[in-house]
Amino acid sequence: MNTAQVLCLGELLFDCLADKAGLPYDQVKSWTPYPGGAPANVACRLVKLGTPSAFIGSVGSDEAGDSLVNFLQEQQVDIQGIQRHASAPTRQVYVIHSYNGDRYFAGFGETDTTAFADAYLDAALLPIDLFRDAQYLVLGTLELAYPQTQEAIHKALEIANQYHLKLVVDVNWRPVFWPDPEQAKPLIYDLLAQVDFVKVSDREAEFLLDMTDPLAIRDRFPDLEGVVVTGGEKPIHYAIGEGEGSVPAFAVSVKDTIGVGDGFVAGWIHQLNRYQISSLQDPQKVKEIVTYAAAVGALTTVEPGAIAPEPTAKQVQTFLQEQGITTDYLS
């Protein structure tokens, strides 16, 4: 296995999708589990695109944990950063969805959100060797809700800075993960002040930051090199390096929107890692990078589940060509 260029830290879990669309949680009769968790999704997508990646997180010493670890191995994600908690279970999230594929997180069944293994990532067990050769550390914000994992996140940031990794955050706001959602904002603000790149949806930006303009967000957090604001079917707005503007979201036949943002992040980081930060001095290259990421995100919606769907780099390239988009730079 090639040395991981991107480290993805956070949750690895099962998204239990309702087998029938359009029903409220208490009327769903059966569920199908799919491997998920935003950082794990990003790691798997990156490998499919051709960027070696590793996952760092905690799962239970249970059958679900075994299954997820084996799945990441099959996807050729480096798993040496996975911790196995002795007693806390692997997280399962119940997800209901509308007839058009939009999904809604419905909770964790009978288990309290603080009781799952991913809430107990141990800072002392972080695999420092992974950081030495990596280029990027990708984080979400969900695990900030749990004190022990929050400590591990801050330790990971220290190590990443020591080895000069670029830091990327996908805000991925999910209030159901927070025992007290009111505590989230200052913790998220503190994280955004420490990183280089941020992806946030327009709804998340409006709720958490009272603004949706990527330039305004970048001005609020002066150390940011790039901000992307997505909006589902609406255009994607960005301010990255010397590039500023928007690209349209691609129209595809949607079966499931879970993981679309993770696909976008993977496409974005794949291109940044391939063409280096210096490429951000060229506004046209920045636009092409965002376009590529949008294509990856769109292609994750054509099958159910967040990880299982493609695309590979070749499929993204073919899709862009079918859209009439010049791909001399992108690959």
Side-chain angles (χ1 to χ4, degrees), residues 79 121 195:
I79 62 166
L121 186 65
V195 303

Coordinates of all heavy atoms in Angstrom, one line a residue, residues 79 121 195:
I79 N -5.5 1.6 7.6 CA -6.3 1.6 8.9 C -5.5 1.6 10.1 O -6.0 1.3 11.2 CB -7.2 0.3 8.8 CG1 -6.3 -1.0 8.8 CG2 -8.2 0.4 7.7 CD1 -7.1 -2.2 9.1
L121 N -12.0 8.6 21.1 CA -10.7 8.5 20.5 C -9.6 9.0 21.4 O -9.7 10.0 22.1 CB -10.7 9.4 19.2 CG -9.4 9.3 18.3 CD1 -9.3 7.9 17.7 CD2 -9.5 10.4 17.2
V195 N -7.4 26.3 10.6 CA -7.2 25.5 9.5 C -7.0 26.3 8.2 O -7.1 27.5 8.2 CB -8.4 24.5 9.3 CG1 -8.6 23.7 10.5 CG2 -9.7 25.3 8.9

